[in-house]
Structure formats: structure tokens, C-alpha cells
């Protein structure tokens, strides 16, 4: 694998101190196949939770239909909901048995894509299903065994899914910092103000009932601010973790804690994102074990400070 990619303009940077391709190709390929098969079972659970709990949307008016629904804009929401229930359930049940069937993967992706567009056509955007949609799109490109170098290509495609998952979180953190700087220069309450997280919670409480944890953090806004800074740290530096196989599982756990905190404080749950974190990071086939001290030194910023002190 190293010989295959050592001169590549991008993948050559993954062969650092903690390379992500540190296991035999056959082992990586086998682990990825297991993860993909297991992912279809999780998608069935996700579908049962989302697709079969949209009774309110079946009788509601699509006040802001998204562009993918233009071709079926005249179809009643009741019939659309019924179609999504049957098509998605059938496609993922079949994928559990034929996990690398190209037609089924494309069929499942298109229907899931339309379902996400459907649920976001009622005046409110739900980001919780975007990462599962990305995952479904990526696995379409996992090659069959009749392709040349199919094992290596499968490994690279799965690694690409990891990369884009972590990039998504890094972009989220980047925009928080970007707008925090602008708000700071404009004299507004920004990321760099102890009142920042308190204001986020208060704004959310105008839309939903406040949570117990959220109400407590409003009163103890200094603690809320430090937790907020920790969340931004986890998001912003996520992309660096892609190149450090010894931190995949650790960072996956941190991202799970991040979502757990969001659910406890803001009552916003993103089960789809949690599922993707579990599949791509917690179960990462590229995980490289290292001592706790080495893992801590490998953390972003900590690693930079350690190098300065060591010099």
C-alpha cells in the first residue's frame, strides 16, 4: 500500500509517525467490508426512527419545497411518506444481504436523498441526516471484486469518507472562529466572550423548553464558555486527526461527547451524525494503538507546544 501511494500528491502525507495504512491490505479490506455490512443494519434503525415517525409531515403543507422535489411536487405528502417508508426499508433490508450491489446502493442513496429533501421542505432545516447521506454517496464508489486493485481502491474510498467526515467538523469550527473574530471587532458578544455560550442557550430557549443542564449553564456561564471553547477545539482540529491513526478512536469518543453535550444543553439530537462517527472513527479499520502519554502528546496544539518545549 505504501509503495502504491508514496508519490501521490495527497496520500503520501498519511505515511507519518502514525500512518493510517499501517495494516496489511487484506486485513484493512476485510474490516471495511464488515463495517459496511454492519452500517446497513444501523441504517435500518435510523430509518425506523426517522421515516416511520413523520406523521406530522404527512398532513402538513410543503411551504418551502427543495429543488429535488420539483419533479414530484404534485404528489401528496401522504403518498410520498408511504413511498419512502417502503422503498428505504426494502432497499436496506436487501443491502444487508447484497451489501455491494451497485444498483441497490444507488437506489438507496437516491431515495434517502429525496427523503432528506422532503423532511426539509416544511420551513425548517434539519442537519441530522446530512452525514448519513454523505456516507451513502461514498459507498456507491466502493468497487466490486472484478475491478483491478479493488481492495486498495476500497480502502482509499473508506479513508476518503473519514476525511470528509472530519473536514465537516473542521469547517463547522472554522466558521465559529471566523465569525467570532468578526463579532469581536464589531464589539459584539463573540466566541471570545464568556457570555457567548450563555447567549446561544438563551437563543435556543426561545424556540424550545430549556433543559435542566442548559438552565444551570446559563447561571454558570463561565463553565459554559470553557465547554464551548472545548467544543470549538474538537471541531476545528478534527481534520488533523485523519493523519494520526492513533487518535481516530479517541477523537471519535470526543465527538460523541460533543453531541451528547449538545443534546443535554440545547436538546438537539443528531443520531445520524453519531452513527457515522461510530462507523468511521470508533470502528475505524486504521486505528493504531499507542500509549496514553503518546496519544496525549499527539493532540493538536499539545503536540505543537511539546515540540517547542522539547527544543
Amino acid at each position: 500500500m505504501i509503495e502504491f501511494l508514496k508519490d501521490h500528491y495527497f496520500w503520501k502525507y498519511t505515511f507519518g509517525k502514525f500512518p493510517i495504512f499501517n495494516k496489511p491490505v487484506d486485513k484493512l479490506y476485510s474490516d471495511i467490508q464488515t463495517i459496511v455490512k454492519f452500517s446497513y443494519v444501523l441504517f435500518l434503525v435510523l430509518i425506523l426512527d426517522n421515516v416511520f415517525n413523520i406523521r406530522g409531515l404527512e398532513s402538513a403543507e410543503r411551504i418551502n419545497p427543495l429543488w429535488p422535489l420539483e419533479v414530484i411536487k404534485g404528489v401528496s405528502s401522504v403518498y410520498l411518506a408511504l413511498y419512502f417508508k417502503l422503498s428505504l426499508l426494502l432497499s436496506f433490508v436487501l443491502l444487508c444481504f447484497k451489501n455491494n450491489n451497485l444498483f441497490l446502493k444507488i437506489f438507496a442513496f437516491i431515495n434517502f436523498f429525496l427523503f432528506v429533501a422532503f423532511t426539509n421542505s416544511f420551513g425548517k432545516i434539519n442537519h441530522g441526516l446530512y452525514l448519513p447521506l454523505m456516507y451513502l454517496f461514498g459507498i456507491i464508489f466502493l468497487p466490486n471484486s472484478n475491478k483491478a486493485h479493488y481492495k486498495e481502491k476500497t480502502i482509499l474510498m473508506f479513508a476518503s469518507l473519514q476525511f470528509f467526515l472530519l473536514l465537516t467538523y473542521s469547517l463547522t469550527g472554522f466558521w465559529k472562529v471566523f465569525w467570532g473574530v468578526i463579532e469581536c471587532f464589531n464589539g459584539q458578544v463573540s466566541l471570545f466572550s464568556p457570555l457567548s455560550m450563555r447567549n446561544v442557550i438563551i437563543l435556543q430557549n426561545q424556540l424550545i423548553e430549556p433543559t435542566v443542564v442548559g438552565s444551570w449553564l446559563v447561571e454558570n456561564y463561565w463553565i459554559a464558555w470553557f465547554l464551548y471553547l472545548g467544543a470549538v477545539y474538537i471541531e476545528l482540529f478534527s481534520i488533523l486527526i485523519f493523519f494520526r491513526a492513533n487518535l481516530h478512536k479517541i477523537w471519535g469518543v470526543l465527538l460523541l461527547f460533543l453531541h451528547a453535550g449538545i443534546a443535554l444543553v440545547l436538546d438537539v439530537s443528531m443520531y445520524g451524525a453519531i452513527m457515522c462517527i461510530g462507523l468511521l472513527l470508533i470502528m475505524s479499520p486504521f486505528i493504531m494503538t499507542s500509549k496514553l502519554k503518546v496519544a496525549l502528546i499527539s493532540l493538536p496544539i499539545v503536540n505543537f507546544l511539546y515540540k517547542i518545549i522539547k527544543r
Side-chain angles (χ1 to χ4, degrees):
M1 195 76 181
I2 294 177
E3 289 297 318
F4 186 66
L5 300 170
K6 66 178 182 179
D7 296 323
H8 192 273
Y9 71 94
F10 173 76
W11 294 111
K12 64 182 180 181
Y13 294 108
T14 63
F15 301 118
K17 186 177 180 180
F18 304 104
I20 65 174
F21 304 125
N22 62 317
K23 298 177 183 177
V25 170
D26 290 340
K27 172 63 176 172
L28 289 174
Y29 178 79
S30 176
D31 289 345
I32 290 171
Q33 289 297 102
T34 301
I35 293 170
V36 171
K37 291 177 183 178
F38 181 65
S39 71
Y40 294 133
V41 178
L42 293 183
F43 265 100
L44 278 174
V45 177
L46 187 68
I47 286 167
L48 292 173
D49 181 61
N50 285 273
V51 182
F52 286 82
N53 289 300
I54 55 172
R55 293 184 181 87
L57 302 183
E58 294 177 12
S59 58
E61 179 186 357
R62 299 197 295 273
I63 59 176
N64 188 27
L66 301 185
W67 65 265
L69 298 182
E70 282 297 316
V71 293
I72 49 176
K73 61 182 178 181
V75 181
S76 169
S77 295
V78 175
Y79 295 119
L80 282 178
L82 178 61
Y83 170 76
F84 290 133
K85 290 175 183 178
L86 295 176
S87 63
L88 288 172
L89 185 63
L90 176 64
S91 58
F92 283 109
V93 167
L94 292 175
L95 278 169
C96 287
F97 298 96
K98 294 184 175 290
N99 63 290
N100 214 15
N101 184 284
L102 182 59
F103 172 79
L104 288 176
K105 289 191 289 187
I106 295 175
F107 181 72
F109 168 74
I110 291 174
N111 282 294
F112 197 77
F113 177 68
L114 291 173
F115 173 71
V116 173
F118 172 73
T119 57
N120 288 324
S121 295
F122 297 87
K124 183 180 179 181
I125 299 297
N126 176 14
H127 304 289
L129 297 177
Y130 287 173
L131 287 179
L133 186 63
M134 179 205 73
Y135 177 87
L136 284 178
F137 179 74
I139 61 175
I140 290 175
F141 300 96
L142 296 181
N144 293 318
S145 57
N146 58 353
K147 302 291 183 181
H149 303 293
Y150 69 94
K151 291 184 179 180
E152 289 84 358
K153 291 176 181 178
T154 297
I155 294 168
L156 292 179
M157 191 62 236
F158 193 86
S160 299
L161 285 174
Q162 275 191 344
F163 178 82
F164 284 110
L165 171 74
L166 293 166
L167 178 62
T168 299
Y169 283 99
S170 283
L171 288 174
T172 303
F174 169 78
W175 286 114
K176 284 185 174 69
V177 174
F178 178 81
W179 286 109
V181 172
I182 292 178
E183 290 167 346
C184 183
F185 279 104
N186 289 334
Q188 300 172 302
V189 174
S190 69
L191 169 68
F192 309 102
S193 168
L195 298 176
S196 56
M197 188 59 194
R198 188 203 68 163
N199 287 5
V200 171
I201 298 172
I202 291 174
L203 180 63
Q204 179 71 0
N205 290 347
Q206 295 176 4
L207 304 174
I208 60 173
E209 287 293 321
T211 65
V212 174
V213 177
S215 299
W216 184 82
L217 287 176
V218 168
E219 299 296 327
N220 299 272
Y221 58 87
W222 275 95
I223 297 177
W225 183 48
F226 283 117
L227 291 174
Y228 189 34
L229 292 178
V232 173
Y233 167 80
I234 293 171
E235 290 178 337
L236 183 63
F237 293 103
S238 285
I239 193 62
L240 298 180
I241 305 306
F242 174 73
F243 303 96
R244 303 173 186 179
N246 66 322
L247 293 178
H248 281 188
K249 182 175 288 188
I250 294 173
W251 211 259
V253 172
L254 289 176
L255 287 171
L256 291 182
F257 276 118
L258 172 67
H259 281 289
I262 292 173
L264 288 171
V265 176
L266 302 177
D267 196 21
V268 176
S269 301
M270 297 181 67
Y271 300 115
I274 292 172
M275 182 186 77
C276 289
I277 292 168
L279 291 170
L280 296 173
L281 291 177
I282 303 295
M283 297 177 64
S284 172
F286 311 117
I287 289 174
M288 183 178 180
T289 58
S290 63
K291 294 181 179 179
L292 179 60
K293 180 182 177 181
V294 175
L296 292 175
I297 293 173
S298 302
L299 292 172
I301 296 182
V302 177
N303 181 256
F304 177 72
L305 295 175
Y306 176 77
K307 288 180 178 179
I308 293 177
I309 295 172
K310 192 175 180 180
R311 288 176 184 173

